[in-house]
Amino acid sequence: MLLYNVFKHIFLVSRHKWKVFILCCKIGMPIRGMLHDLSKFSPTEFWESAKYYDGHKSPIIISKKTNGYSKAWLHHKGRNKHHSEYWIDFTASDQTPVIPYKYAAEMVCDRLSASMCYNGKKWKQNMPLDYWLKEKHKLKMNIKIQNFLTEVFTQVKDKGINKTITKGNIKAIYKKNCIN
């Protein structure tokens, strides 16, 4: 069973990385797309994720339910700046700063790709927004970044990915919510 999970996990991560790469190219950040989630192939992240792989939800969620925590998640969020948890500093005056554009934009691509990969053929353009609205209250994140994500996912729902995920549009939404 573990060998089966290893191959299925490699396939899922590769598919996710490919979709992130395509989306990052659309917003003018192909290098961010190529470098996205390389830590998933580190032993700490890979073996836990293969062990708890089920194909329908993140192995990190399953590990947290089983063990109370996930070593893979602790490793992953500490190395990948496109996760809001990377930016939390409880001892700083600004505990949740505004995430820089390139990482916030990569975060959008990551969340869209995860939604598409985990939902497969059932994916609909309202799903990223529905999931975001259900989960955002659980995250410690700068309100400007929350507003940025909400607006992007609302546009995806209303206009679709191709019209929303463009270099000019994502930059404009970021500027409106995070700079002005």
Side-chain angles (χ1 to χ4, degrees):
M1 187 64 160
L2 182 60
L3 186 60
Y4 173 80
N5 285 4
V6 165
F7 287 109
K8 293 297 280 184
H9 178 63
I10 290 170
F11 178 75
L12 180 69
V13 169
S14 298
R15 198 170 85 214
H16 170 70
K17 283 183 59 57
W18 176 249
K19 287 181 186 296
V20 170
F21 174 71
I22 296 300
L23 293 168
C24 280
C25 286
K26 289 172 66 80
I27 61 172
M29 298 185 347
I31 302 300
R32 294 260 27 104
M34 284 192 299
L35 298 175
H36 180 79
D37 278 357
L38 287 178
S39 69
K40 286 193 181 229
F41 295 104
S42 69
T44 301
E45 293 182 39
F46 184 84
W47 291 114
E48 180 180 291
S49 295
K51 179 180 178 180
Y52 293 108
Y53 173 86
D54 86 345
H56 302 290
K57 60 183 154 191
S58 170
I60 288 168
I61 293 169
I62 299 168
S63 179
K64 285 180 180 181
K65 285 184 181 178
T66 304
N67 304 313
Y69 70 99
S70 167
K71 286 181 187 176
W73 176 242
L74 294 171
H75 188 269
H76 188 74
K77 72 180 178 102
R79 285 155 183 79
N80 293 280
K81 296 177 183 179
H82 64 274
H83 288 286
S84 60
E85 295 84 353
Y86 176 93
W87 297 94
I88 297 171
D89 183 351
F90 290 107
T91 62
S93 59
D94 187 359
Q95 292 183 355
T96 58
V98 174
I99 298 169
Y101 172 76
K102 68 181 177 180
Y103 305 118
E106 183 182 353
M107 181 188 302
V108 166
C109 297
D110 180 49
R111 288 175 170 273
L112 287 172
S113 174
S115 177
M116 289 186 275
C117 287
Y118 283 117
N119 288 294
K121 293 178 182 177
K122 297 177 191 172
W123 188 84
K124 301 214 179 333
Q125 57 193 43
N126 66 296
M127 289 179 165
L129 178 63
D130 293 347
Y131 184 79
W132 167 245
L133 293 176
K134 185 177 79 172
E135 297 293 317
K136 77 176 188 174
H137 72 279
K138 298 177 185 176
L139 299 173
K140 189 165 180 68
M141 181 187 296
N142 189 289
I143 190 68
K144 292 179 178 183
I145 295 296
Q146 286 185 12
N147 293 340
F148 165 71
L149 292 173
T150 300
E151 186 168 344
V152 170
F153 297 143
T154 299
Q155 281 192 20
V156 168
K157 176 184 167 266
D158 295 341
K159 300 177 182 178
I161 285 181
N162 290 332
K163 289 185 178 173
T164 304
I165 306 303
T166 66
K167 184 177 182 178
N169 191 50
I170 297 300
K171 278 190 174 192
I173 297 170
Y174 182 86
K175 185 177 180 183
K176 173 184 163 193
N177 287 285
C178 300
I179 296 172
N180 294 342

